[in-house]
Amino acid sequence: VILTRGLRRQYRMGDTVINALDGVDLSIRPGEYVAIMGPSGSGKSTLMNVIGCLDSPDGGEYWLNGQLASSMNDRELARVRNREIGFVFQTFNLLQRATALHNVEVPLIYSGIARKERLARAVEAMRQVGLESRLDHQPNELSGGQRQRVAVARALVTRPSILLADEPTGNLDSTTATEILELFDELHRAGNTIVLVTHDRKVGEHAERVVRMLDGRVQSDTRNSTS
Amino acid sequence: VILTRGLRRQYRMGDTVINALDGVDLSIRPGEYVAIMGPSGSGKSTLMNVIGCLDSPDGGEYWLNGQLASSMNDRELARVRNREIGFVFQTFNLLQRATALHNVEVPLIYSGIARKERLARAVEAMRQVGLESRLDHQPNELSGGQRQRVAVARALVTRPSILLADEPTGNLDSTTATEILELFDELHRAGNTIVLVTHDRKVGEHAERVVRMLDGRVQSDTRNSTS
Ligand SMILES: Nc1ncnc2c1ncn2[C@@H]1O[C@H](COP(=O)(O)OP(=O)(O)OP(=O)(O)O)[C@@H](O)[C@H]1O
Ligand SMILES: Nc1ncnc2c1ncn2[C@@H]1O[C@H](COP(=O)(O)OP(=O)(O)OP(=O)(O)O)[C@@H](O)[C@H]1O
Ligand SMILES: [Mg+2]
Ligand SMILES: [Mg+2]
């Protein structure tokens, strides 16, 4: 469902070129549960942004569901994103002037869902991440881990076939993190694809497969023995 | 060096009152290394903001170095903050339009340090957190873990007698996290006080003492056996 070949992404800073992605080959089948790990700065978020159709590569190819994503225009990319992909950002990217509930509701507005159903589904997603008592708080009225959970709820509310989560538990205590991982398991058991970036070894062991990155390339790609 | 008694901090949301801090008694001696842990939303960041002189309590008292912080005016609080305290924010709070190097330099400008020395010290702090190759990047040109490390470098550059770090390793792989903790150890061995909020059990075990919070109160306060 996700196939990249020789993916490149470069940033020019004066005379230097930073190869954030330096030739990435990745193949993820429908229904797989993949963890992406690697040192700070190794290109994990850059990779997630490309496969999440939020950024275009400078080289190489990316096929999503058999379609060449690098040949899509912005409108087609936006439609694919909304219909197929749920994205949890490493830095949350919540609307600061809107309530938590409204933040979670927004993807359903883009999907064209009617208001009554949107609200019911957004409330349910907030309940699933343990934030039913925080519906009307704005992001700056929430703790770090609560903001992270709003970002998770927003990614899950469309029941995406592909969940891309960039370090979704970094601000959570272990009990709350386990609850969030159980939500991902639920989505996975329903046949959906999960790709998550994590620094937490236990979260990595929870996945079926661990892809390790180093300096913008895939360093290793291992199946977990217990899956 | 840090003493709180019956500390309260409340937020009013319509008819509800949220007791973010619900009577916190905490006593930290000079040179101690304390970890603060507890569930998401339990009041850890709120407590850190009060003891870091960034927020005033609604009730109770807070003494810093024998002085009643709640009786200081804004100018006195700002001076204490700059002279004594290094603060690593859970959400980094970097200046978006400035380079990483300039971000790290800013506390030294407030200290009245001359430019040549400021730059030397800021470059050294960036080197200590492994970011010597990222001096001229702005925050949006850095990975999540790199931004976190800039926030750490900024907190360490004044060699504070009290380091307050709110989840300083949440975005870091274990190798990089260990390097950051070694910097804190170095500051601690020089006789300074370290208070860090963490969700990472290993980081908690690294401290001399673990204070657990729950629902705005201190639930437990335990010395680590190995220290
Ligand atoms: N401005 C605000 N208005 C209303 N409630 C707030 C506000 N700021 C924080 N809160 C609430 O106060 C409680 C404590 O927040 P705090 O940020 O201290 O938690 P925390 O322990 O740091 O959590 P985390 O581990 O998720 O970072 C939370 O339940 C939060 O929703
Ligand atoms: N806009 C930019 N301009 C220049 N360099 C950039 C830019 N964005 C990212 N980089 C660099 O690209 C590299 C990869 O960044 P990326 O965010 O993908 O890392 P990461 O693996 O997600 O790291 P972390 O674990 O710290 O989140 C980093 O070294 C970073 O400094
Ligand atoms: Mg990242
Ligand atoms: Mg917090």
Side-chain angles (χ1 to χ4, degrees), chain B residues 192-207:
Chain B
N192 299 298
T193 308
I194 314 280
V195 184
L196 50 82
V197 172
T198 185
H199 284 309
D200 190 330
R201 195 180 37 87
K202 289 209 239 70
V203 174
E205 287 166 7
H206 196 77

Side-chain angles (χ1 to χ4, degrees), chain A residues 13 18 38-41 90-92 134 136-137 141 143-147 149 167 170-174 176 199, chain B residues 13 18 38-41 90-92 134 136-137 141 143-147 149 167 170-174 176 199:
Chain A
M13 304 276 300
I18 292 170
S40 175
Q90 185 171 6
T91 47
F92 319 153
R134 293 288 183 272
D136 300 326
H137 288 234
E141 297 170 328
S143 78
Q146 290 167 346
R147 288 174 209 169
R149 283 184 276 162
E167 301 196 36
N171 280 284
L172 302 176
D173 55 283
S174 51
T176 313
H199 284 307
Chain B
M13 303 278 298
I18 291 170
S40 174
Q90 184 170 8
T91 48
F92 319 153
R134 293 288 183 272
D136 300 325
H137 287 233
E141 297 169 328
S143 77
Q146 290 169 344
R147 288 174 209 169
R149 284 184 274 161
E167 300 195 38
N171 281 284
L172 304 176
D173 55 283
S174 53
T176 312
H199 284 309

Side-chain angles (χ1 to χ4, degrees), chain A residues 131 133-134 137-149 171-173, chain B residues 9-13 18-21 36-49 90 166-167 197-199 213 216:
Chain A
L131 292 178
S133 65
R134 293 288 183 272
H137 288 234
Q138 293 191 344
N140 68 339
E141 297 170 328
L142 292 172
S143 78
Q146 290 167 346
R147 288 174 209 169
Q148 186 157 46
R149 283 184 276 162
N171 280 284
L172 302 176
D173 55 283
Chain B
R9 182 71 176 92
Q10 294 177 327
Y11 295 107
R12 247 168 211 76
M13 303 278 298
I18 291 170
N19 291 311
L21 295 179
I36 299 184
M37 304 185 73
S40 174
S42 54
K44 306 178 298 294
S45 295
T46 306
L47 176 62
M48 292 290 270
N49 289 339
Q90 184 170 8
D166 197 345
E167 300 195 38
V197 172
T198 185
H199 284 309
M213 290 191 67

Side-chain angles (χ1 to χ4, degrees), chain B residues 14-27:
Chain B
D15 305 332
T16 5
V17 174
I18 291 170
N19 291 311
L21 295 179
D22 198 21
V24 171
D25 297 335
L26 184 67
S27 158

Side-chain angles (χ1 to χ4, degrees), chain A residues 36 41 53-54 75 85 110 117 121 126 139 155 170 177-178 183 201:
Chain A
I36 300 183
C53 300
L54 294 158
R75 203 166 44 76
I85 296 172
Y110 286 130
E117 181 183 352
R121 285 171 64 169
M126 284 286 282
T178 302
L183 292 177
R201 193 180 38 87

